[in-house]
Amino acid sequence: MELENALQWRYSVKQFSEQKVSQQNLNTLLELTRLSASSYGLQPYKIIVIESAVIRQQLVPYSYGQDKVANSSHLIIFAAQTEIGNATVDRYITKHNQITNSTSEQLAPYANHMKMALKQKSDEQKQQWAHQQAYIALGNFITCAAAMKIDTCPMTGFDTTKYDSILALESEGLTASVICPIGYRSQDDAQAAMPKVRFAFDELMIFKN
């Protein structure tokens, strides 16, 4: 019920207050997001945290004028990796070995399976797959933020090319997937008092028995 209450409480904030998210709370939220599920556990994305007022102001014109990007505590960007393939798998296998004390030989069948699965995708399909994994992390991020009473506003309304350029993401093998200003709602945000609009349970759920 606590989680349900948190999700009833959250909404996509239209106007943030000047209150900052503490470093401790930010780190906790990011750690919870780090634990998100992803296909094969590969996590083909990075999470970029921008506090700089200068950088965020630069991004406003490429966010369709949505000043929440600048007038929030932090701007979080989920950015998908652009090179998806064997190196993606090898990176994961190396980490798997470190954590589980397994060997590459033991994991070879699983590694080959993942590499074959990715090889069967076109470059466009691999990029879309990476974006999908970033969205899974975003969903977890939003839910955990609500549980912590941190407000969010996930956004896809931005110029990806300009974001990638301003943040020099291409040189890091990344491209922005989705952005999410965070902070605390302003008392002047009329949207906070609006009832949550969602389809009813029976309208949304389909059961096949």
Side-chain angles (χ1 to χ4, degrees):
M1 290 301 294
E2 289 184 9
L3 183 56
E4 181 179 352
N5 290 337
L7 293 177
Q8 290 285 0
W9 170 84
R10 79 151 301 277
Y11 71 105
S12 289
V13 172
K14 305 307 178 187
Q15 183 177 352
F16 287 93
S17 71
E18 295 182 357
Q19 182 181 357
K20 299 286 289 185
V21 176
S22 71
Q23 191 64 50
Q24 180 178 353
N25 284 343
L26 177 62
N27 289 346
T28 297
L29 177 56
L30 294 172
E31 173 61 15
L32 293 172
T33 307
R34 183 184 70 84
L35 299 174
S36 299
S38 69
S39 179
Y40 298 116
L42 292 175
Q43 294 180 290
Y45 54 82
K46 296 285 188 179
I47 300 171
I48 303 163
V49 182
I50 302 178
E51 186 173 5
S52 166
V54 174
I55 295 175
R56 289 194 285 149
Q57 195 61 53
Q58 285 181 303
L59 294 170
V60 170
Y62 308 110
S63 311
Y64 301 106
Q66 299 179 88
D67 60 5
K68 296 184 293 291
V69 167
N71 300 330
S72 54
S73 177
H74 297 75
L75 176 64
I76 310 300
I77 300 175
F78 291 79
Q81 294 174 357
T82 54
E83 295 295 328
I84 305 296
N86 288 352
T88 310
V89 175
D90 291 338
R91 172 176 170 268
Y92 172 76
I93 293 299
T94 298
K95 179 61 65 175
H96 197 298
N97 289 343
Q98 292 172 351
I99 293 175
T100 66
N101 292 320
S102 55
T103 66
S104 297
E105 289 74 19
Q106 290 172 312
L107 294 174
Y110 186 43
N112 291 335
H113 168 73
M114 289 188 285
K115 289 178 179 180
M116 285 300 298
L118 291 176
K119 187 176 181 180
Q120 291 172 5
K121 298 179 184 293
S122 66
D123 289 343
E124 182 179 352
Q125 288 172 328
K126 284 188 283 191
Q127 190 64 83
Q128 184 59 37
W129 170 83
H131 285 306
Q132 289 170 349
Q133 308 315 306
Y135 271 87
I136 292 173
L138 171 71
N140 188 42
F141 176 84
I142 293 170
T143 300
C144 291
M148 296 176 66
K149 290 295 187 287
I150 296 173
D151 284 303
T152 58
C153 183
M155 298 165 53
T156 56
F158 66 97
D159 186 326
T160 301
T161 301
K162 291 295 186 180
Y163 263 68
D164 290 355
S165 175
I166 290 171
L167 300 174
L169 296 185
E170 185 175 352
S171 64
E172 299 183 50
L174 298 169
T175 182
S177 297
V178 61
I179 65 176
C180 190
I182 67 170
Y184 299 99
R185 63 192 66 177
S186 168
Q187 293 182 347
D188 298 327
D189 190 352
Q191 190 73 20
M194 298 291 290
K196 186 179 291 293
V197 179
R198 295 290 188 273
F199 288 103
F201 187 91
D202 291 341
E203 294 177 302
L204 193 61
M205 307 304 164
I206 298 175
F207 294 92
K208 299 289 187 179
N209 298 322

